[in-house]
Amino acid sequence: MPPDDGTVLDNAALADELEALNSIYESDTLTVRDHRSDVATSILRLPELPFSFLVSFPRDYPDVPPVIIGTESTGGSGKGEGEIAVNILRDVLGRTWVPGQVCLFDLVEETGPLLQQQHGQHIHGATEDNTQDASDRSAVPGHDERHESDLTPDAASLMDPPPWTMSDPMVVSKSTFVARVCRVSSLDEAQNSISHLLSTNKKVATATHNIQAWRIQHANSSSGLTSTIQDCDDDGETAAGGRLLHLLQLMDVWNVVVVVTRWYGGVKLGPDRFRLINSVAREALVKGGFVKEEGDKPKGKGKNKK
């Protein structure tokens, strides 16, 4: 156990992030290597990448940003690739860190695809450099098929990645909750957005539950009539979808689809799980700009209005 002397490991925000990352991704995504009273040095491993990074967390994190020291291991990656990866990680950190707000989940989510693309390009380029004759290479059976098989048929045929807005992960009694919201204008768009998420994000697809709800309003330009679609899916978390839809109704948000992902940690939460599901959903809706500002709400005489 770390000493109770105010060290960085007693930072509740950092402790929650560590638990959340290691439950959403691999169990060693973030590990603390050593710590002093003013700083903790950790190892950050991004999913499905060969290299890992040394990151230091000052005692006042998240009021001050973490520092990307460099690579902890390059995992046998190509020459110079680790330095490129560090620069990409630092660039994303500069965009995602906001004073007073934890940033590791956003850092991993945004950096992972960029580094996978960069690593793939490096491997592909190295393969071409080590092959003397491009015409001979094209004659090798299965060469092109192996490169293109990285994309599943479903993911390749869907739209561009939907612009999801995510909540911060919430960890309670070893269960982790994350909400995603996306603006949509039709039921097909809502369903395609969900399908894209489940087809391209392995950790989400294999989670215990993906509770969904959507509310869509569409005006017919010809008839002038407005059609509404409201529905939900519990995904095995009985009654959770209906409560999530009710939250959307209470917040008066339209043209949105919400997916709340839960990774069950082995401890039953009882009715409290509904509050947690709605809590991360509300956070994502606010971050995504779906909630009306006070000045936008219709004026009227309320019960407590003086």
Side-chain angles (χ1 to χ4, degrees):
M1 294 288 290
D4 187 16
D5 60 357
T7 64
V8 71
L9 291 187
D10 292 323
N11 183 321
L14 178 59
D16 286 346
E17 272 200 299
L18 186 147
E19 186 174 357
L21 286 176
N22 290 345
S23 60
I24 294 173
Y25 304 104
E26 303 300 329
S27 59
D28 61 348
T29 299
L30 183 68
T31 56
V32 177
R33 190 171 75 169
D34 57 72
H35 65 87
R36 302 188 302 274
S37 61
D38 59 337
V39 67
T41 302
S42 303
I43 300 173
L44 178 64
R45 299 176 177 87
L46 273 64
E48 301 178 7
L49 286 166
F51 26 71
S52 54
F53 304 93
L54 284 174
V55 184
S56 68
F57 293 90
R59 179 177 179 176
D60 294 332
Y61 173 80
D63 292 329
V64 295
V67 177
I68 312 300
I69 300 172
T71 54
E72 186 267 342
S73 171
T74 58
S77 56
K79 183 179 179 181
E81 193 178 357
E83 183 179 353
I84 296 173
V86 168
N87 290 333
I88 292 174
L89 190 65
R90 286 172 176 163
D91 180 63
V92 174
L93 175 62
R95 298 198 307 266
T96 56
W97 176 74
V98 176
Q101 296 183 18
V102 295
C103 63
L104 290 185
F105 179 68
D106 290 338
L107 183 64
V108 172
E109 283 286 311
E110 291 193 28
T111 307
L114 295 176
L115 291 184
Q116 287 171 5
Q117 181 182 24
Q118 182 264 332
H119 182 56
Q121 290 174 346
H122 190 94
I123 292 175
H124 186 57
T127 301
E128 291 184 346
D129 291 341
N130 293 330
T131 304
Q132 294 181 354
D133 191 343
S135 62
D136 290 343
R137 183 174 64 248
S138 65
V140 177
H143 174 81
D144 291 335
E145 288 77 6
R146 284 196 303 273
H147 177 66
E148 294 179 0
S149 65
D150 293 340
L151 288 176
T152 63
D154 287 342
S157 62
L158 288 171
M159 68 179 106
D160 291 335
W164 293 106
T165 298
M166 292 182 291
S167 71
D168 291 330
M170 179 183 293
V171 181
V172 177
S173 298
K174 299 184 178 180
S175 278
T176 303
F177 301 83
V178 174
R180 286 173 170 82
V181 301
C182 181
R183 191 173 299 278
V184 294
S185 57
S186 67
L187 179 59
D188 283 346
E189 193 175 345
Q191 293 175 337
N192 285 340
S193 297
I194 296 170
S195 296
H196 187 281
L197 175 63
L198 298 179
S199 297
T200 59
N201 192 317
K202 182 173 65 175
K203 286 295 180 181
V204 172
T206 57
T208 315
H209 306 290
N210 283 295
I211 304 104
Q212 307 155 25
W214 52 87
R215 292 185 89 206
I216 302 163
Q217 244 179 5
H218 177 71
N220 189 310
S221 56
S222 301
S223 64
L225 299 176
T226 300
S227 60
T228 61
I229 302 172
Q230 305 183 68
D231 209 346
C232 59
D233 186 344
D234 293 334
D235 193 33
E237 187 72 285
T238 305
R243 292 169 186 256
L244 184 59
L245 177 58
H246 186 54
L247 173 70
L248 301 185
Q249 294 168 340
L250 290 175
M251 297 181 73
D252 192 28
V253 294
W254 287 98
N255 297 332
V256 64
V257 59
V258 183
V259 178
V260 177
T261 305
R262 179 188 182 185
W263 291 267
Y264 178 59
V267 179
K268 292 184 177 181
L269 299 177
D272 199 39
R273 67 189 187 279
F274 301 123
R275 177 184 63 81
L276 298 171
I277 290 167
N278 279 11
S279 177
V280 292
R282 179 185 294 274
E283 179 189 336
L285 287 165
V286 172
K287 287 176 69 174
F290 289 93
V291 181
K292 293 179 180 178
E293 299 290 341
E294 288 295 325
D296 296 334
K297 293 181 180 179
K299 296 180 181 180
K301 293 183 179 180
K303 260 174 123 182
N304 299 322
K305 193 172 180 81
K306 293 182 180 180

